Amino acid sequence: MAREDYEIVMGLEVHCELSTKTKIFCSCPTEFGGEPNTHCCPICMAMPGTLPVLNEKVVEYAVKAGLATNCKIARNSKNDRKNYFYPDLPKAYQISQFDLPLCYEGHVNIETPDGEKTIRITRIHIEEDAGKLNHDEYGRGSFVDLNRAGVPLIEVVSEPDLRSKEEVEAYLRKLKSIFEYIEVSDCKMQEGSLRADVNVSVRKKGATEFGTRTEMKNMNSFRSIVRAIEYEANRQIDVIENGGEITQETLRWDDVSGKTFPMRDKEDAQDYRYFPDPDLVAIRLSEEYIENIKNALPELPESRKKRYLEEMGLTEKAANFVTASKYYSNMFEEASKVCGNPKSVSNWIMSDIARILNEREEEPEELKFSGKELGELVSLIDKGTISSAIAKKVLEEMFENPEMPSKIIEAKGWVQISDEGAIKEVVAKVLEANPQSVADYKAGKDKALGFLVGQAMKETKGKANPQMLNKLFLEELKK
Amino acid sequence: MAISKEEVEHIAKLASLNLTEEEKERYANDMTEILEFANMINSVNTDEVNETIGANENYNVFRKDEIVQTVDKETLLQNAPSQEDGMFRIPKVIN
Ligand SMILES: [Zn+2]
C-alpha cells in the first residue's frame, strides 16, 4: 500500500505558561531569564516543611482560557500529586490535576482547505513547571537552575481529531492566538512558554479503530512540530508496511538529525501514582465568579473578524489573516485609525509585513514598530508624499529601526518628487536618450510607455510621482 | 487482598529502592496487613454521605499574585552538597 492509503491521527497536549507575576504556589517572580536560582524560595526549592498556597490569578487565567475555548468550568476541583523522579523536579512530584480538571469538554474551530473544522478539547488543567538542567561540555556533571520550577502552566489536551500536519499547525496557532487575545500567556515558543507534545498514530483510510500511538516531545517551533509529524508518520507507515508493529512509547524529536528517538527515562510503563495533594484544599467556583470572568473577557478573534468584514470592508481572506494574531489585529486597528484606509493597511500586513517576518523567521509579536508607524506609512502613500516602491524600502527600514516613516524618509532623502518642473526635466532627458522607444510608442506599441516610465523612475531612484510621470510622458508623446 | 512479590518489586523500582529477597517477602506481608487495615473503611455505609474533596473542609485558600522575595540565593544554596555558578551540581544526567 502507498502512503496515500493511510490516515494520520493526532491529538495534542499543549503546555502554556501563564503570565502571572508570581509562581503558582509561592510568591517568587515568574520573569523569564535572570541569574540561576535567583527567582526561588524554600517552597519552589522543595525544602522540607514548606507549604504551597495557590495563586488566585492562576485559577482565574485557567478559567478564562477555558471559557475562551468553549469549555465547561468545574464547580469543584482540586490539585493532585504526579509522582516521578527527575533532577529538574525538586519535590519528586509535580503538583497537577488528575480527575477534576478546572475546565473540560471544550472546542475550537480551525480553517482547513475543506472549510471550518471543530477540534474538541478534552480538558484544561493547571500545574507547575519544572526547573532547568544545564549540561557542561566536559561531562563533569549537570547543573540545576530552579527559576522555572513552580511557574504556572495550563495543559490543554485535545481529542484525537487532527488529521494532518497543516491541521496541527492551524490548531496550535488558534490556541496561541486565543491565549494572546485574552492575555493569559505571551505564548512565546522561543522562550518555551508554549510547548506541544503530539500523539501520533496511523491507520488505513476507512478504518474505524485507532492504531498504536507514540508520543513526541521536545518540539520548540511550529517548523519542528511539522517536521516531526511528517517524519514520525512516515516511520510508522514504513514499520507497518514491512510487517512490523508500532510500540507505544515516548519519543524525543531531535531537530538537528530530523529524527525521533525513544526516551530512555520514559521506558518504564508510566505509573505516576496520582493522589490528592494533602497540602492544598479544594477549589470551589461559584456561578457568580465564573459569570464575572465571562463578562470581562476581551473581544475574541471571531468577533473581531465579523467587525472587519461588516464595518471595515475587508475580504474574508484578509479578515482571517489579520485576526489570526492579536499583534496583527491590534496593529491593523491602530493603523486604520491613523490613516483611515483599512484595506490598504490589511494589504501591507498580508503581503510585505508577513513576507519580511517570514524571511527573518520571526513571529508577529516580534515586530518592533506599531500601528502608529504603519498608519503613517499608508497615509504618506495616500497623500502622494512617497510612492509605494519607496514605501517598501521604508518598511524594510522600519524592521531594523522602528522610527516614524516621515523621519526615515527625511533622513534618507526619499521624499517623492511631485514638482512638475523637476519631473518635466527628467521626462525630457529620458525621451532624448530613448528615441527608439518614442518611435515604438508612436507606431502603436503602448508597452513602450511603461519602459520610459521605468527609465524615469530609475533616473530618480524611485522617487518620482508615478501618476505625474505618466501624465507628462503622455503629453510629450502626443506632441 | 494480598500484595505479591512482583508488586513489591514494581513499587520498589518506582521508589528507586534496592530490596533484598528477604525484604521483599517482609514488605509483601507488611503491605498486605496495612491494606487490610485500611480496607476496614470500606465496610462503613456511606449511602447518605456527600462526596468530599480531600480530608480538609476548607476550600479556596488563595494567595494574591504579588511578588515577595525573602531568601537570597546564597542562603538557599548553603546546604547543597555541591554547587557551581549558583547552581546545584549533580551527577551527569543523560537525556
Ligand atoms: Zn518560590
Side-chain angles (χ1 to χ4, degrees), chain A residues 20-27 29 36-42 45 47 53-57 76 78 85-87 100 134-135 139-144 268 271 273 281-284, chain B residues 10-11 13-16 51 53-54 56-73 75-77 79 83-95:
Chain A
T20 54
K21 289 206 269 301
T22 66
K23 292 186 178 180
I24 182 167
F25 297 118
C26 64
S27 303
N37 295 312
T38 53
H39 299 164
C40 297
C41 73
M45 281 196 161
M47 304 280 179
V53 186
L54 183 54
N55 180 346
E56 62 182 7
K57 280 276 171 208
N76 290 299
K78 68 175 163 75
F85 292 123
Y86 206 67
L100 296 174
N134 297 288
H135 308 280
R140 292 175 308 125
S142 297
F143 304 88
V144 188
D268 292 315
D271 183 351
R273 293 148 294 143
V281 300
I283 304 164
R284 285 196 207 163
Chain B
H10 176 63
I11 293 164
K13 193 175 178 200
L14 290 172
S16 283
E51 197 179 337
I53 299 174
N56 193 316
E57 290 199 354
N58 278 337
Y59 60 93
N60 292 356
V61 177
F62 295 134
R63 211 186 74 239
K64 291 253 173 271
D65 187 27
E66 284 160 11
I67 297 172
V68 184
Q69 273 192 290
T70 49
V71 190
D72 61 27
K73 181 177 73 178
T75 313
L76 288 167
L77 285 162
N79 292 330
Q83 54 171 293
E84 199 172 309
D85 298 333
M87 289 183 276
F88 297 94
R89 184 173 160 179
I90 59 167
K92 188 174 163 54
V93 178
I94 326 141
N95 48 354

Side-chain angles (χ1 to χ4, degrees), chain A residues 184-311:
Chain A
V184 298
S185 171
D186 57 21
C187 293
K188 287 185 183 163
M189 275 193 132
Q190 64 279 17
E191 290 181 7
S193 59
L194 184 77
R195 316 188 284 259
D197 299 339
V198 186
N199 292 310
V200 184
S201 67
V202 300
R203 64 178 173 188
K204 298 208 167 117
K205 277 186 185 153
T208 47
E209 292 206 357
F210 291 127
T212 306
R213 68 196 164 104
T214 56
E215 183 181 1
M216 285 193 293
K217 291 179 181 280
N218 198 38
M219 288 92 65
N220 50 14
S221 68
F222 287 111
R223 212 177 77 93
S224 62
I225 288 169
V226 167
R227 282 177 70 207
I229 290 169
E230 208 157 40
Y231 172 85
E232 178 58 15
N234 284 335
R235 184 191 72 82
Q236 291 189 11
I237 293 170
D238 285 343
V239 170
I240 294 170
E241 284 291 295
N242 291 313
E245 265 181 39
I246 306 299
T247 323
Q248 182 164 352
E249 59 188 343
T250 305
L251 304 169
R252 182 176 61 86
W253 167 254
D254 179 49
D255 222 20
V256 180
S257 65
K259 289 181 174 159
T260 53
F261 298 96
M263 283 174 83
R264 238 174 274 152
D265 53 297
K266 301 269 179 188
E267 246 168 40
D268 292 315
Q270 297 193 353
D271 183 351
Y272 292 124
R273 293 148 294 143
Y274 281 97
F275 67 89
D277 192 315
D279 290 339
L280 290 155
V281 300
I283 304 164
R284 285 196 207 163
L285 303 181
S286 66
E287 301 305 320
E288 191 196 355
Y289 175 88
I290 297 165
E291 206 51 39
N292 283 343
I293 293 179
K294 195 182 269 174
N295 293 335
L297 274 183
E299 189 186 16
L300 290 168
E302 245 112 85
S303 138
R304 287 201 192 198
K305 181 181 153 187
K306 206 166 159 239
R307 202 153 50 76
Y308 297 172
L309 286 173
E310 290 167 5
E311 292 167 27

Side-chain angles (χ1 to χ4, degrees), chain A residues 345-364:
Chain A
V345 171
S346 70
N347 282 335
W348 279 94
I349 292 176
M350 281 203 295
S351 53
D352 293 84
I353 292 178
R355 176 184 51 81
I356 298 170
L357 276 181
N358 200 23
E359 283 165 8
R360 297 166 67 103
E361 294 188 23
E362 286 178 357
E363 294 291 325

